Amino acid sequence: MSQQAILSVNSGSSTIKFALYPVQNKTLGPAILSGVLEGLEPGGIICLRLNQQILSADSINSKDEETRFAAALQWLQSQVSLHAGAFEVCAVAHRIVHGGGHFADSCIVTADVLQTLRGYEHLAPLHQPHNLDGVAAFAAAYPGVPQIACFDTGFHATMPETETRFALPLREHEQGVRRYGFHGLSYRFVSHRLTTLSRRASGRALMAHLGNGASLCAMQEGKSIATTMGFSALDGLMMGSRCGQLDPGVILHWLDQGMDRKTIERVLYKESGLLGVSGISADMRTLRASEDPRATAAIAQFTYRVRREAGGLITVMQGLDLLAFTGGIGEHDAQLRADVVRGLSFLGLKLDDAANQSATGDRAMPVHAPDSAVEIWVVPTDEGMIAAQDALTLLL
């Protein structure tokens, strides 16, 4: 008899990240299979990175754009089946960026649920449509297998109205124009992991998810009380190609200059952030390797924004007991961590330089000096595990 497993999926515009978690005695085991299907964007070269191996997809790359996604998904399904051995997929758990005001807890996707979530696509245009297309595609690939929606906004449902409310007319708030917050699956994982590592995790904790998308979250007693992202995934920190916090008057100025909506959306989501400031790349690793002063300026601005927003959240919490870094930049960029901590040293934060240099995101580890007033951790995130765990809970 085949052993059951849950497939966790994060469908994006150009990639599908996935992991397969075995179900053992009503609990999840470590992922037996993980990877990313890349090159799904128009003109991209499709390949599959599977457990550190790269598999080519020449036959799929030769197809026209309309059939590439479906063919790539079918190929992915066959590769998962091939490498999963005796494991049978009993549920597919999907990361869904926006749950709006209706969804905080993970749920089984029905036709009505999918239709409601489609209504939030304009709130996260780079993510939500692809997330939901992935749900539909995997439902077709695995007929009869439950599809589970797990929401990035859900973790922040505990934020008070003083945090979620904009200073706009009440009618706008009642129609859903409010702050939601994102990166919730990542924060849930990091929060849970920290509770097994430090007693201070139940105190005043600041979590920094720093990657191509970046945000901070203030957490007390394990619950989100404030975060830097808001109505959309544009707000807050400077990001890879997203602007972060922006005076809305800039949008009005652009409209007066005759810019249309699609152009504005492209500038805000795809041409700003590290890419916009540097004019070189949205990838922090590329900028670190560059001697161009524009790269240096972009890194400095990114670091400054993290420190600036951190100060606001620390004030909301009335102090700080623990700081945790996660995400692609947070886990791997030791210099960024050092620069952020140095900017917060007036609060008594002190790094252990050797520990900071050795923290490469392969495991959770403390990087604070023995005499630091605040614990500092590097915790690799696993959004897929959280989504798979929610799926298992719904199925039990």
Side-chain angles (χ1 to χ4, degrees), residues 180-191:
Y180 292 94
F182 300 90
H183 289 138
L185 296 181
S186 176
Y187 288 136
R188 279 180 59 195
F189 179 86
V190 173
S191 172

Side-chain angles (χ1 to χ4, degrees), residues 237-319:
L237 301 180
M238 173 180 173
M239 304 175 221
S241 63
R242 281 173 264 169
C243 61
Q245 186 181 48
L246 182 72
D247 183 339
V250 175
I251 309 297
L252 298 177
H253 167 72
W254 286 339
L255 291 172
D256 287 341
Q257 296 299 310
M259 288 179 65
D260 59 37
R261 185 191 184 283
K262 287 188 177 180
T263 301
I264 292 174
E265 181 177 282
R266 185 180 70 249
V267 172
L268 296 178
Y269 278 97
K270 297 183 178 181
E271 297 179 356
S272 299
L274 289 171
L275 174 62
V277 175
S278 71
I280 298 171
S281 175
D283 193 317
M284 181 68 82
R285 295 167 297 184
T286 301
L287 299 181
R288 287 285 185 199
S290 174
E291 297 181 358
D292 192 313
R294 296 177 301 167
T296 303
I299 295 172
Q301 188 166 344
F302 183 93
T303 307
Y304 170 78
R305 291 297 307 176
V306 174
R307 292 201 308 261
R308 187 180 189 278
E309 295 301 314
L313 294 183
I314 292 168
T315 300
V316 169
M317 293 187 289
Q318 294 289 284

Side-chain angles (χ1 to χ4, degrees), residues 214-253:
S215 69
L216 303 177
C217 177
M219 182 180 71
Q220 284 186 292
E221 299 181 354
K223 297 179 180 179
S224 172
I225 63 168
T227 189
T228 55
M229 281 184 172
F231 178 70
S232 73
L234 280 173
D235 200 8
L237 301 180
M238 173 180 173
M239 304 175 221
S241 63
R242 281 173 264 169
C243 61
Q245 186 181 48
L246 182 72
D247 183 339
V250 175
I251 309 297
L252 298 177
H253 167 72

Side-chain angles (χ1 to χ4, degrees), residues 149-172:
C150 308
F151 304 103
D152 249 356
T153 49
F155 182 72
H156 303 292
T158 54
M159 294 193 304
E161 187 172 298
T162 48
E163 174 66 20
T164 62
R165 183 86 181 263
F166 288 123
L168 293 173
L170 177 60
R171 64 178 181 274
E172 298 297 327

Side-chain angles (χ1 to χ4, degrees), residues 91-111:
V92 183
H94 298 267
R95 177 199 177 206
I96 306 297
V97 167
H98 217 302
H102 287 83
F103 301 101
D105 298 327
S106 298
C107 65
I108 297 175
V109 179
T110 63

